[in-house]
Amino acid sequence: MAQAKQKNNILSTITMLLFALMPLVYVKTLVDKTLIPHQLFGSVGLVLLILAMLANKSISKAKVGWMLLSFVGFLVINMIAVSAAINPVESWATISRYMLSFGVLTALTVLFQAKKLNPESLIKGVVIFGTIAGVITLFEILKALGSGDFISNIYVVSGTFSHKNLLSSVLMLCLPFAIMGAVILEKGWKSLSLFLTFLLIAEVFVLRTRGVWLAVFISAFAFLLMFFTLRKRQSLDVKFPIKQVGLAAGIAVVLLIALFSAAKVSSSVSDTANLENRFVFWNNSVEMLKENPVLGVGPGNWKINFPKYGLQGLENSVLQGITHVQRPHNDYLWVLTEAGPLALIFYVGIFALAFLQLAKSFKQPLNKKDLTIDISVGFGLMAYLVFSLTDFPLERTSHGLLVVAMLALVFRNVQLDQVKGFNVSARALLVIILGLGVFSTTVCAYRWQGEKASVKVLDANSHRNAQRMIPAAEEALNPYYNMDNFANPIRYYSSLGKLVLKDINGAMQDGLEAVDVAPYNIIALNQLGNVYKAQKQTDLALETYDKATEISPVMEAARMSSAEIYLDKGDYISAYGEMKYMFRNTKGPRYQKIMEAILPALVGNFEEHGEYNSLVQYLRSKNPKTPAQMLAFYREWKKR
């Protein structure tokens, strides 16, 4: 008896630590300091939990209900969709994250079915998670207040979650557990949970993430209304920490009013640029789906296919290939475009089945503990689903594990014989989950090694050091890593380095491999064009540059390279046909040299070619004495 209790305690402890310690996992030497580290931590934690469960001989029976089966369907469709992927390496990296979430959800479900885990242990684990994350955030907010960044640049506050919006949303997902702890936990845990509830509400509002605000408002209204309705109907003495929630919300409102009085804050919150960008993301996603209506473009391949549909309407950094759009900022569109309609049905089905179970629980006789958990979990799941409309929590292990914890809590009281689904051997199921955990761990290990080496690649590239860049790129490449965190193929960098070192054949081979991995990446296309140009294969070079400018008509590097080829051929009309797409405020010696060669020829030979009459007449009316003056007057003409 004592031995069985000790094993149960081990299972509860591992489960608690799996959640509690995640905010401490943060690796500064990686590009994304949390994406791979969080997944690796979760994967190792899952493996340890499954091994402990296998060591517990009393866990022998399990039942796979419809929610888990819906998750299985989601995984299977994604694995089939790999066949549609341009880059299967990114597909398996994405699927490994899904496998981790499924594994943790299955493990928690089996533990609840076997009565080896109580809700309090899971809640305590997330309360610790939230406390660590919340306190770190509090210190960063105070630091930002002292430096002035709190008003001008709130994005300096990111905790250990890489980005302010990810931090804000993970705090939001901790809030339901804080409320549960404040109501059903005892002694010190209750006090800690009350403090955490107060802290999280204040921080969620102060961090100024509009998607989180929307999710909190919609979900809170829906489930507070349900709470008061059910409490009245059931005549239950259940008291949420209304005073504490109200006080925290009141302070948050006061802070918001104070913040909105600052012009920079008011303008940043009301700025519609991000929303306009999202419309471009979503429109391109619709076009992507039209071309790939059954299986999508393959898991992890949205970022590879996105440029194909044009980059017009986005920031200049995207148009020049300096940054790349990697996510549609809508998880439903993400699933739909990467794995097709059936995958989305299974994905939404996971949550629909959870809400159906909650509705069923609400109809049964309730007690204080169960009503608190059900209302809080319902609020948390709805907040997650609303936030997913404008952001990408599906990508993040921290968010995914908090969500599967809530999903598992939905079914915590369902007896094994009441589960609608299929009876399975618990041990066989756990062995399968162990395999998923090992696979996720393996993928993470490879991607960690690749990302760590990519830091060297990026550093060498920033210093234009070809000798360092080539071996660093070779070190970064492995079976589960061939693109960096900015969606650029690693072979692009090695091609760049080899071209600088005059290894034209090596640059060509790597350039072709880069375009094979990412055929719509404009800087990979531009690099391949540069290699063709170096080989004097000008027709192929122009054709490749054209592919880049079809995606981004104002891409300066590709336009100038094409113009240089046309100038070498003496075709200044075609050369200007490239340069006219560039912005009037474009600067740099390369641009100046090209334009100072084009404009005099364009004006001097007008009677011969008869092109661009308005421009030529304007320049002639100004009577410029030098090509530099002609360029200055050209800028004036472009401004009109």
Side-chain angles (χ1 to χ4, degrees):
M1 185 73 175
Q3 187 177 7
K5 185 176 181 180
Q6 183 180 11
K7 289 183 177 180
N8 291 350
N9 288 338
I10 291 173
L11 294 173
S12 295
T13 300
I14 294 175
T15 303
M16 285 180 62
L17 293 177
L18 176 61
F19 290 91
L21 300 182
M22 185 164 288
L24 298 176
V25 179
Y26 184 85
V27 181
K28 291 184 178 181
T29 55
L30 298 180
V31 178
D32 188 322
K33 295 160 179 60
T34 59
L35 181 62
I36 298 301
H38 280 178
Q39 185 184 348
L40 182 59
F41 174 80
S43 301
V44 173
L46 175 62
V47 169
L48 293 175
L49 179 59
I50 297 301
L51 290 174
M53 292 172 71
L54 287 170
N56 193 317
K57 304 298 183 183
S58 62
I59 303 177
S60 58
K61 296 180 180 179
K63 204 162 187 178
V64 178
W66 292 113
M67 182 185 67
L68 286 178
L69 286 173
S70 190
F71 210 141
V72 170
F74 174 69
L75 281 175
V76 170
I77 296 299
N78 271 277
M79 286 188 278
I80 295 172
V82 175
S83 61
I86 291 172
N87 188 347
V89 170
E90 289 298 306
S91 292
W92 288 111
T94 299
I95 290 172
S96 71
R97 292 198 298 269
Y98 298 157
M99 288 178 173
L100 172 59
S101 293
F102 173 72
V104 174
L105 177 58
T106 303
L108 294 177
T109 301
V110 171
L111 287 171
F112 279 130
Q113 288 180 356
K115 307 299 180 186
K116 303 299 181 183
L117 179 68
N118 59 59
E120 288 83 354
S121 296
L122 189 53
I123 293 167
K124 288 176 181 178
V126 181
V127 166
I128 298 172
F129 177 118
T131 302
I132 295 171
V135 170
I136 292 173
T137 303
L138 178 61
F139 279 109
E140 288 198 356
I141 290 173
L142 293 174
K143 183 179 178 181
L145 280 168
S147 65
D149 285 331
F150 185 72
I151 298 295
S152 61
N153 184 20
I154 188 63
Y155 284 90
V156 298
V157 180
S158 60
T160 54
F161 294 91
S162 298
H163 190 277
K164 185 263 294 183
N165 291 352
L166 294 173
L167 169 63
S168 182
S169 53
V170 88
L171 295 178
M172 174 189 72
L173 294 175
C174 289
L175 183 56
F177 293 90
I179 294 173
M180 284 185 261
V183 176
I184 69 174
L185 296 182
E186 297 178 353
K187 298 179 180 179
W189 285 105
K190 179 183 286 290
S191 299
L192 178 61
S193 299
L194 282 170
F195 163 76
L196 183 60
T197 301
F198 174 86
L199 181 64
L200 294 180
I201 291 174
E203 290 180 341
V204 158
F205 282 95
V206 166
L207 287 173
R208 312 196 304 260
T209 301
R210 290 172 293 186
V212 170
W213 289 357
L214 181 66
V216 169
F217 284 137
I218 292 176
S219 306
F221 175 78
F223 279 88
L224 281 175
L225 180 64
M226 184 177 294
F227 163 68
F228 286 114
T229 301
L230 289 170
R231 188 175 71 168
K232 183 177 180 181
R233 190 188 73 189
Q234 299 289 341
S235 300
L236 290 171
D237 183 24
V238 182
K239 295 181 180 180
F240 270 28
I242 299 298
K243 291 182 180 179
Q244 289 79 6
V245 171
L247 179 60
I251 292 176
V253 168
V254 171
L255 288 172
L256 285 176
I257 293 173
L259 288 169
F260 270 90
S261 64
K264 288 184 178 180
V265 174
S266 181
S267 61
S268 67
V269 173
S270 59
D271 185 15
T272 60
N274 284 339
L275 185 59
E276 291 168 2
N277 286 337
R278 281 166 171 73
F279 283 134
V280 177
F281 304 163
W282 300 339
N283 286 334
N284 282 15
S285 297
V286 171
E287 295 303 313
M288 197 183 299
L289 182 64
K290 287 179 181 178
E291 286 193 9
N292 306 274
V294 180
L295 290 176
V297 297
N301 277 239
W302 184 93
K303 62 188 176 187
I304 297 170
N305 286 269
F306 173 80
K308 178 181 180 181
Y309 306 96
L311 302 177
Q312 294 90 330
L314 298 174
E315 295 96 338
N316 189 49
S317 62
V318 177
L319 296 173
Q320 303 306 329
I322 298 169
T323 58
H324 298 274
V325 179
Q326 301 189 61
R327 313 164 187 90
H329 285 256
N330 182 308
D331 279 350
Y332 310 104
L333 269 177
W334 209 356
V335 170
L336 183 62
T337 53
E338 288 196 338
L342 196 53
L344 180 62
I345 291 171
F346 280 122
Y347 179 69
V348 173
I350 297 168
F351 297 94
L353 290 164
F355 279 110
L356 285 174
Q357 178 59 40
L358 283 175
K360 184 178 179 181
S361 298
F362 290 148
K363 293 179 182 179
Q364 297 172 350
L366 302 169
N367 57 43
K368 172 182 175 179
K369 173 182 172 181
D370 288 329
L371 181 58
T372 299
I373 292 176
D374 289 338
I375 291 287
S376 300
V377 165
F379 159 75
L381 291 176
M382 180 173 284
Y384 175 82
L385 293 175
V386 173
F387 183 68
S388 297
L389 287 167
T390 57
D391 227 293
F392 49 94
L394 181 62
E395 179 191 66
R396 296 288 154 168
T397 298
S398 51
H399 296 62
L401 294 193
L402 291 174
V403 169
V404 300
M406 288 187 273
L407 290 171
L409 284 171
V410 171
F411 293 87
R412 70 196 177 280
N413 288 332
V414 181
Q415 301 297 318
L416 198 59
D417 57 357
Q418 296 175 336
V419 178
K420 292 182 179 179
F422 299 93
N423 291 310
V424 296
S425 165
R427 306 190 73 74
L429 179 61
L430 292 176
V431 169
I432 293 172
I433 300 304
L434 179 63
L436 299 183
V438 170
F439 177 73
S440 180
T441 303
T442 302
V443 170
C444 285
Y446 274 112
R447 289 183 74 80
W448 185 307
Q449 178 258 319
E451 187 172 331
K452 186 176 180 180
S454 78
V455 174
K456 302 176 187 177
V457 175
L458 296 171
D459 182 66
N461 184 44
S462 68
H463 289 90
R464 302 182 181 276
N465 189 324
Q467 287 87 352
R468 285 175 50 212
M469 187 155 50
I470 296 168
E474 295 297 332
E475 183 184 349
L477 287 165
N478 65 55
Y480 290 104
Y481 193 85
N482 61 13
M483 298 182 75
D484 70 9
N485 291 67
F486 307 101
N488 293 321
I490 297 298
R491 282 297 180 200
Y492 155 75
Y493 296 103
S494 58
S495 175
L496 200 65
K498 289 176 181 179
L499 184 59
V500 170
L501 297 179
K502 308 300 182 184
D503 178 6
I504 307 299
N505 291 333
M508 175 62 71
Q509 180 180 344
D510 289 359
L512 289 169
E513 287 185 28
V515 171
D516 184 58
V517 167
Y520 311 112
N521 182 299
I522 58 176
I523 64 170
L525 288 168
N526 183 69
Q527 169 60 16
L528 182 59
N530 290 342
V531 179
Y532 283 131
K533 185 181 177 184
Q535 289 185 326
K536 307 299 182 183
Q537 298 187 63
T538 55
D539 290 341
L540 283 174
L542 289 171
E543 180 183 330
T544 308
Y545 291 137
D546 284 346
K547 289 180 181 179
T549 54
E550 283 176 12
I551 294 168
S552 177
V554 297
M555 186 187 184
E556 295 176 359
R559 289 291 184 191
M560 288 193 287
S561 293
S562 295
E564 287 167 342
I565 291 174
Y566 285 124
L567 280 175
D568 287 343
K569 293 181 176 182
D571 186 355
Y572 52 86
I573 297 296
S574 295
Y576 180 69
E578 297 292 334
M579 300 301 287
K580 69 181 181 180
Y581 287 96
M582 298 176 66
F583 299 117
R584 65 176 179 83
N585 58 351
T586 302
K587 297 179 180 179
R590 186 183 184 192
Y591 173 80
Q592 183 174 346
K593 180 180 179 181
I594 294 170
M595 291 303 293
E596 288 181 3
I598 291 173
L599 292 175
L602 202 64
V603 173
N605 298 287
F606 174 70
E607 282 71 23
E608 178 183 334
H609 60 75
E611 299 281 343
Y612 306 110
N613 179 64
S614 173
L615 169 60
V616 170
Q617 296 308 322
Y618 182 84
L619 292 178
R620 283 181 172 179
S621 70
K622 295 296 183 179
N623 193 27
K625 304 300 182 184
T626 64
Q629 285 184 343
M630 189 173 287
L631 177 56
F633 290 131
Y634 170 76
R635 294 185 191 277
E636 288 182 5
W637 178 81
K638 288 275 284 186
K639 188 177 181 180
R640 296 191 310 167

